[in-house]
Amino acid sequence: MHCRIAPLATALALALACSRTVVAAEGQAPEWLPVNDDCQSLVIRAALPSADPFRRGDLAGRRQDEGALGLLDLLLCRPLAPESSRYWRAEVRDAGGPQPRVALGLGEAGRWRIEAEGERLSSGVTRVLTPMRGNGRGGFSLPAGWVPGATTAAMRALLPSLLPVELERRRGQAELRGRALLGPHLQLDARYRESQQSGLRRFAAVTGNSGGNARAILLAAPLDQRTRTADLGLLHAGPRLQLRSGFYLSHFDNAIDALSWQTPFAQVAGWASGTGAPALNRAQPAPDNRFHQLSLAIGYALSPSLRLNVDLAAGQMRQNQAYLDYSAVRALLAALSVPLPRPDLDGRVDTRLLSLRLAQRSDSALRWDARLRVDDRNNRTPVEEYIYVSGDSELQNAAASSARRRLNIAPSYRDSLYALGAGWHRDRRFGIDAELAHQAIERTASARSDSREQRLLLKLRHRVSERFDYGLRLGGADREGSTYLGSRDFVASHSPEYVATVPGAFENLPGLRQYHLADRRRHQMSGFASFAASERSQWNFNLGEVRDDYRASEFGLTDSRIRHLQLDLAQGLTQNLWLNAFAGREWLDAAQRGRAFQGGGSRLPQANDPGRNWAVEHADTVDSLGVGLAHRAPGARLRLRADASLSDAQGALRLSTGSALSSAPLPDTRARLLRVDASLDYVLRQGLELSLHYRLERFDGADFAEDGSAPNTLANVILLGDESPDYRAQAWLLSLRWRF
């Protein structure tokens, strides 16, 4: 089934290329005109980067040992001439670099076109340390002479056996799209896209569990994933009626069906015989899945000023990746008394969408619109009981009261939105808009079966004069719902016999609320002002605040507040010298509360002990500064430009605990990013230009969660030993541009 998409896309492209053409109406501007000032140009660049790699931009992902880079940009096209409406276009960006891009185009203005694009992206390189030896296909083994231990402190061979590994996510993307006019009011659109992910990423691998603290190791796991999507649409555009029918198809394929690794830990108390080092463990990464959807969009003009829009869609998600066995340890697998209830999940979710919009637009100052949107997801995945083996270290426990008896939960929901908006725009200088919305969500397998939220939004814009205008945006929302039962998921996923043995019969604190379900009051405000002091001076100012109050949450997230303030300036210093600058600050504050308690027999008394309460206040700020200078005289051969920006984020955690707990202050965190880009462009002769660029990217961070964390920092987890990634990357780039 998966291999049919590519031939389908190819056939669609050929059909578009051969489709019949339609003569455009006389005097009508042709569509899809390729416009680019650099048409017919070639750019050759030589880049000499520093040892530290860039994390952003078109140089991100370069390895330290690559040295100088040869980059090439090429743009070829045939501009449309009055006697011919056909064109072709070819574009290459950063060929030879770590993130190249290629684009091709062919078409006839106002009739048909075919376009293809391809690019490669990188997340940047992070260097880590690991004792595991990977085979590149998802398998990991311990080094020769490995000495297992119950904790990392007892692993004498851990530090001597560490190998450096580079984590990097690489994404290659290709897209083919086409459009053709099949008649005076009929248009065909087609698109096919393929995305391939590769590289290495972090994967937390649990390697043993005894009911208490699990043993684990962080792996540099390989990535080999492919996502393919196809979209086909047929559009009818008449004077009053517009229709678009579409079909969308998406397939996700993971070439790595399983990750396997040898446990580096010695057998500890509570583990079954034969489960210590070097026993094999396995886990299944993201499974293959697919999605398809049919859609219909209708637009109809009921009158010159009244329009109705209707959107309908129905789709289905499927996932039937074959399960792995309950365990990879032979002794545990041989001792199974209850097998898997089915070979795969047979996951199925049916989706339906209905959207209605009635809008009135006329020459009068008043305008209004009414909207209805219903998004329905029906999860039809079979619910079964799975008696799993914990951490590849324990025997299967099939007793009726076993905590290992679990039922998969199949959550569904229906999201309904009703909104009414109105606006008064007397002229181009003044306008006010208001919107009132009601959203109702019904859920299954959730701590709250239904929630309701009312939202009110007001917007005002006033242009006082040609030089000064301002605007305000005020809003509020209130969410509430049915009785909140935090143990609902826990009870639904465990056997009744086991639930009866749990002290207090709850999984989470009764006062704990999931923030996306909890009762919440939100207040938001934002505004802007723009002032032109002269033709060469422009000032812009904006600010805003969003405040969330989780009024019914005793524990968890109880309060959140986000504020921002920014000033922008564009100023002509001289006739040929321009200054651009900005400065801003964001404040992010939040409050959380909780109660620390253990499991087993002490669970209930500890969970009801206020002396075990804790509270933390989060206070983060982000300062942003930027300045740019540009000099260019009309007709001059020399152009100069320099830009610099600085982002400085600081975080503080203020922790307090009850009398039954002990704690210590947490260090503040900080991250600072400085970027500099300077360029000199010189015109050697008409059509030939020489450029010299300098780029700098410097990051300094202090994060107690990462800094100083060696692979053996924790007793029960082997870490990757990465630090907060301080680096200083810089590069000189010399380029020659030829316009021909």
Side-chain angles (χ1 to χ4, degrees), residues 132-156:
M132 284 295 191
R133 274 57 174 169
N135 61 10
R137 301 181 301 277
F140 294 87
S141 59
L142 294 168
W146 180 258
V147 179
T151 63
T152 55
M155 298 175 181
R156 299 192 304 273

Side-chain angles (χ1 to χ4, degrees), residues 657-670:
T657 58
S659 58
L661 301 176
S662 59
S663 63
L666 295 173
D668 294 344
T669 60
R670 185 164 192 175

